[in-house]
Amino acid sequence: MGTLSGKTAVITGSGRRKGLGEAIARKLASEGANIVLSDVGKPRDAATGEGHIGTTDEMESIAEELRGLGVNVSTCVCDVRSLEEVRALAKHASETHGSLDIWVNNAGIGYIMKPLLEVSEADWRAVIDVNLTGAFFGLKAAAEAMIGQGKGGRIVNIASQAAKSGFPHAQAYTSSKHGLVGLVRSAAIELGPHGITVNNVCPNHVTTGLGAWQNEYFSKVTGAASVDEYMTNMKNRIPMRRPGLPEDTANAVAWLCTDQAAYITAESMNVSGGEEPH
Ligand SMILES: NC(=O)c1ccc[n+]([C@@H]2O[C@H](COP(=O)([O-])OP(=O)(O)OC[C@H]3O[C@@H](n4cnc5c(N)ncnc54)[C@H](O)[C@@H]3O)[C@@H](O)[C@H]2O)c1
């Protein structure tokens, strides 16, 4: 029996290999939760471009692997920018698994990065739409379902170190993640009386698919001689002397979903090896 036995967890943006979403799904499953993997499924536009997203095939192959481990897992394609699709995802979880207890807003994009003066209105809106509006839609759909069930719940957003500090070429990304800090503080007040906690986990850098793209991009922006030099500089400024691993974030999410964290809400918890102290 794991700490999450009998619970059902939805993780958005969890259909991409090596991503935080996949790691969170594996960890929650290892604690006994039923898992709903969800992702955008196919390239839809500039904000969800080829090579940057979890495809349906990729998501299904992760699901098959989890089934092989004995996990009760289902999949559901969902673009978090559509409230209709997000509500359908919540309905899928409740109908397929009998309840909805944990919702992780993990879907996010971080590859539309440009110097401030080159950021277009479309660039800005694209990032805010996925990272902030998408999380709001997830929170809303999860809260509707959880309040209806009347047995509490857990909502966790994957924010970022960029929810606490500024980064160059990342105005929209940083603003979207700072926005999540306000979102949990506000939502926690209204959802607390229903036994629903709402928190952010704020990882520093993790070399996922997105993280690998950022390593290349920021090594050029910072003038590092190579990606290796950029990574060495990164390691040296982190007190724990390494970047984050997907499992570091997944462990924090899993703990926030247990009974032990029942009194923790409205928080934005750093998982940064000491790099982000605020
Ligand atoms: N990798 C890092 O260094 C890092 C650090 C801090 C926070 N984060 C955050 O963690 C989350 C996961 O990022 P990751 O590094 O695993 O990247 P990733 O690219 O592996 O995962 C992001 C997932 O979001 C999905 N997605 C994108 N747009 C979507 C949409 N409109 N609807 C549904 N799904 C959509 C993608 O398909 C992908 O599967 C993101 O919110 C990111 O901002 C990442």
Side-chain angles (χ1 to χ4, degrees), residues 13-16 19-21 39-40 48 52-54 78-81 106-109 130-131 158-161 173 177 203-206 208-211 214:
S14 52
R16 191 173 187 200
L20 298 184
D39 215 306
V40 68
T48 50
H52 290 290
I53 55 144
C78 169
D79 186 330
V80 298
R81 295 169 297 178
N106 169 73
I109 56 170
V130 180
N131 294 7
I158 307 308
S160 170
Q161 183 177 14
Y173 187 82
K177 298 297 187 180
N204 66 340
H205 180 77
V206 188
T208 58
L210 166 62
Q214 289 177 341

Side-chain angles (χ1 to χ4, degrees), residues 13 15 17 26 33 48 65 98 100 150 162 166 178 182 214 228 232 255 275:
R17 290 273 179 198
R26 285 182 188 281
T48 50
E65 242 181 79
L100 171 55
H178 273 67
Q214 289 177 341
D228 280 351
T232 302
W255 181 73
E275 188 182 17

Side-chain angles (χ1 to χ4, degrees), residues 68-90:
L69 298 171
V71 180
N72 184 0
V73 54
S74 66
T75 59
C76 184
V77 168
C78 169
D79 186 330
V80 298
R81 295 169 297 178
S82 157
L83 181 55
E84 203 184 342
E85 288 186 41
V86 174
R87 279 191 169 132
L89 173 59

Side-chain angles (χ1 to χ4, degrees), residues 199-250:
N199 294 290
N200 291 320
V201 169
C202 302
N204 66 340
H205 180 77
V206 188
T207 301
T208 58
L210 166 62
W213 182 92
Q214 289 177 341
N215 293 343
E216 297 269 349
Y217 184 83
F218 281 112
S219 50
K220 287 181 198 131
V221 170
T222 58
S226 62
V227 174
D228 280 351
E229 184 184 288
Y230 171 74
M231 295 306 289
T232 302
N233 294 341
M234 182 192 291
K235 277 187 223 165
N236 288 341
R237 70 168 183 264
I238 298 172
M240 296 308 290
R241 292 291 182 272
R242 64 167 176 83
L245 296 170
E247 292 73 24
D248 295 317
T249 293

Side-chain angles (χ1 to χ4, degrees), residues 1-117:
M1 291 285 281
T3 56
L4 304 176
S5 287
K7 311 272 186 202
T8 296
V10 170
I11 304 114
T12 68
S14 52
R16 191 173 187 200
R17 290 273 179 198
K18 297 188 192 162
L20 298 184
E22 181 190 2
I24 293 164
R26 285 182 188 281
K27 178 64 187 173
L28 299 187
S30 77
E31 291 296 338
N34 305 321
I35 299 295
V36 179
L37 294 177
S38 178
D39 215 306
V40 68
K42 60 174 191 229
R44 300 201 190 197
D45 50 26
T48 50
E50 186 137 23
H52 290 290
I53 55 144
T55 60
T56 303
D57 285 352
E58 202 169 358
M59 176 166 70
E60 293 299 342
S61 82
I62 296 171
E64 267 314 297
E65 242 181 79
L66 288 175
R67 280 185 197 111
L69 298 171
V71 180
N72 184 0
V73 54
S74 66
T75 59
C76 184
V77 168
C78 169
D79 186 330
V80 298
R81 295 169 297 178
S82 157
L83 181 55
E84 203 184 342
E85 288 186 41
V86 174
R87 279 191 169 132
L89 173 59
K91 193 164 177 255
H92 162 92
S94 300
E95 288 182 354
T96 311
H97 300 281
S99 72
L100 171 55
D101 309 288
I102 295 165
W103 185 286
V104 184
N105 284 311
N106 169 73
I109 56 170
Y111 54 87
I112 302 181
M113 298 214 164
K114 294 178 184 172
L116 175 64
L117 299 186

